[in-house]
Amino acid sequence: MSVAPVENIASLNTDLFYDILKRLDGPTLASAACTCAAFCSISKEERLWEDVCSSMWPSTNREDVKSLISSIGGFRKFYADCFPLIVNKEVTDYQWNDYLEYPEEWTEAEYYGDMDEFESISPSDFVSIVDIRYKDKIICSKVLWGIPNANGFNGWFYNCPFRIDLLTYAARDDDDDGEAFLSVANGLPPITSMETERKDGKLWRGLRDGLRLSWIVVNRKMKQAANLASWSPIGGQRHWPTDKDFVIRFGSILPARDILPCQVVECILSMKFRVICTEGEGVETTLKLTELSMQLEDMEGSHVNGRNSLLILKEALSCRRSKNYSEVLESCNLYSKVQNELKEEKMRNESRLDRLCILSGIAAFVSFCYYVL
């Protein structure tokens, strides 16, 4: 059998090009679009990017989510917005002395910002699209429309700490019962008892190395989206708050310039698993996802209120991003380093103040005794 020679790539059938490109993942498809005019033209097909998004984020398979993505610019734009992760390296610009001056230098009007700008932000404009993977297998997909308990400008939401408990509210809109489990069938390391796990930490390492989280926030009015997760875990706690609980933490560093005096905040995405079964008597090791939440914290570790959180989320949708995961980790590590330095400086200042108070007390006591005697 002879094969007909191909003079140039442009002479090939367009359907063949499409069949080639639809087998690629997002980064490869974007690279292929730069190789020739034919690939560039075909790579603009929305169907290709819909398949890419569906593979990367299974929650985008829902019809309501597809309509949402189409309304904000299509799947190609959605992928370009959400595949790169948020990077913020401006943390080192802020010093503890500047941060301490906040109560005196910031008026109430400055702290709460421009009211006209805030009134243009509605909690109902935000949509959370969340996917959890373990060893490249999807274990949970959730979509939350709006921000729960945020109705009414004078409501408690705007002045109380911001927090979204996804499992509590997203389950109301889903067809399933909202529960997610991990077991040996998913590739989870088996454990015979919690005592053994405390010694070797095999289950903890398996969770930390295998879990991946994507938490995409979309603003329908602004027609923008961003992935607030770090994809891989950046921290966590084992056996907390109980012996059978494991907390895995993801997140990103978000800009808060002109919103909060600390200028940057940490978006903390917490995932908690509980061991419900260990190996033995025909039962395999099984974990249940019991918590999936988002909250924002400032440099001192204080929770940001609902009002400022909405402003920060709005700014996050247009901040710098990177496809380089090492940059994302560097951004988080920089924040943690500066935060620890600030805490140490605060402790030193408090220690100096304590010593000053003690010395003042001793001096006052000695003076009192001198005059009495």
Side-chain angles (χ1 to χ4, degrees):
M1 184 178 65
S2 61
V3 179
V6 178
E7 295 182 359
N8 58 70
I9 194 170
S11 64
L12 295 176
N13 189 284
T14 303
D15 292 338
L16 179 60
F17 287 160
Y18 185 89
D19 189 64
I20 293 172
L21 294 181
K22 75 177 184 180
R23 302 170 188 274
L24 306 180
D25 59 15
T28 310
L29 178 58
S31 299
C34 302
T35 58
C36 66
F39 277 3
C40 180
S41 176
I42 298 173
S43 66
K44 295 178 182 178
E45 290 286 336
E46 273 293 289
R47 181 60 189 174
L48 286 174
W49 292 103
E50 182 178 343
D51 291 342
V52 168
C53 291
S54 175
S55 175
M56 183 102 184
W57 306 294
S59 52
T60 60
N61 278 323
R62 291 176 37 155
E63 291 301 321
D64 52 353
V65 177
K66 288 182 180 180
S67 298
L68 169 66
I69 295 174
S70 298
S71 69
I72 64 172
F75 284 91
R76 187 183 179 198
K77 178 180 181 296
F78 182 80
Y79 182 86
D81 286 343
C82 301
F83 179 74
L85 300 177
I86 291 176
V87 172
N88 192 332
K89 296 184 180 180
E90 299 179 2
V91 181
T92 53
D93 294 340
Y94 312 112
Q95 302 297 324
W96 172 253
N97 291 335
D98 297 333
Y99 189 61
L100 272 180
E101 293 174 358
Y102 146 68
E104 297 178 358
E105 294 190 356
W106 281 63
T107 65
E108 183 177 356
E110 289 173 329
Y111 181 85
Y112 285 110
D114 186 355
M115 292 301 295
D116 293 335
E117 179 185 5
F118 176 69
E119 288 173 356
S120 66
I121 306 173
S122 172
S124 60
D125 292 334
F126 291 93
V127 181
S128 292
I129 302 173
V130 181
D131 293 284
I132 304 174
R133 292 177 179 272
Y134 183 73
K135 294 187 175 179
D136 293 328
K137 295 180 181 179
I138 194 72
I139 63 169
C140 182
S141 292
K142 297 290 179 184
V143 178
L144 180 64
W145 297 84
I147 298 177
N149 300 324
N151 297 325
F153 179 80
N154 294 320
W156 65 268
F157 167 81
Y158 295 93
N159 298 310
C160 290
F162 172 83
R163 182 183 172 91
I164 297 178
D165 288 303
L166 194 78
L167 297 184
T168 303
Y169 297 100
R172 300 176 182 178
D173 301 325
D174 294 341
D175 295 331
D176 58 22
D177 57 7
E179 295 185 336
F181 297 90
L182 262 180
S183 66
V184 174
N186 300 112
L188 197 69
I191 59 170
T192 55
S193 67
M194 294 308 301
E195 288 76 13
T196 304
E197 166 59 22
R198 277 196 298 271
K199 293 178 181 178
D200 58 31
K202 183 171 64 175
L203 183 59
W204 167 250
R205 289 194 300 272
L207 281 174
R208 186 187 57 196
D209 297 339
L211 281 171
R212 299 292 181 266
L213 173 66
S214 171
W215 190 312
I216 295 172
V217 171
V218 181
N219 187 293
R220 291 181 280 183
K221 182 182 292 184
M222 296 173 59
K223 299 185 184 300
Q224 290 181 315
N227 196 338
L228 303 186
S230 52
W231 188 238
S232 298
I234 57 175
Q237 288 177 284
R238 46 188 298 216
H239 310 301
W240 190 92
T242 70
D243 188 48
K244 294 186 176 182
D245 289 317
F246 297 86
V247 178
I248 310 292
R249 186 167 58 86
F250 302 78
S252 54
I253 309 304
L254 306 182
R257 189 179 296 275
D258 300 327
I259 300 174
L260 290 176
C262 58
Q263 307 293 302
V264 287
V265 300
E266 183 178 16
C267 176
I268 300 175
L269 307 174
S270 295
M271 188 187 304
K272 184 188 293 183
F273 283 91
R274 173 166 294 176
V275 178
I276 58 175
C277 293
T278 55
E279 296 293 312
E281 298 182 359
V283 180
E284 61 183 15
T285 302
T286 305
L287 274 65
K288 179 181 178 180
L289 179 64
T290 58
E291 180 185 308
L292 183 56
S293 64
M294 174 199 292
Q295 57 191 27
L296 305 182
E297 289 187 358
D298 65 13
M299 274 284 189
E300 284 193 323
S302 301
H303 297 298
V304 181
N305 63 30
R307 185 188 182 285
N308 289 326
S309 294
L310 292 183
L311 293 172
I312 292 169
L313 290 178
K314 176 186 175 183
E315 291 299 316
L317 297 178
S318 56
C319 68
R320 179 175 174 260
R321 300 162 215 195
S322 174
K323 298 176 183 177
N324 187 348
Y325 182 65
S326 62
E327 277 196 89
V328 179
L329 285 181
E330 184 182 354
S331 173
C332 295
N333 291 336
L334 270 175
Y335 183 90
S336 297
K337 179 182 178 182
V338 174
Q339 188 179 46
N340 290 334
E341 290 174 353
L342 295 180
K343 288 179 179 178
E344 290 173 2
E345 180 64 23
K346 183 179 180 181
M347 291 176 64
R348 285 194 292 267
N349 289 339
E350 290 176 348
S351 178
R352 294 189 192 104
L353 183 61
D354 289 341
R355 288 196 295 268
L356 180 61
C357 291
I358 292 172
L359 291 174
S360 300
I362 293 174
F365 177 75
V366 171
S367 299
F368 175 78
C369 293
Y370 176 79
Y371 286 109
V372 168
L373 299 176

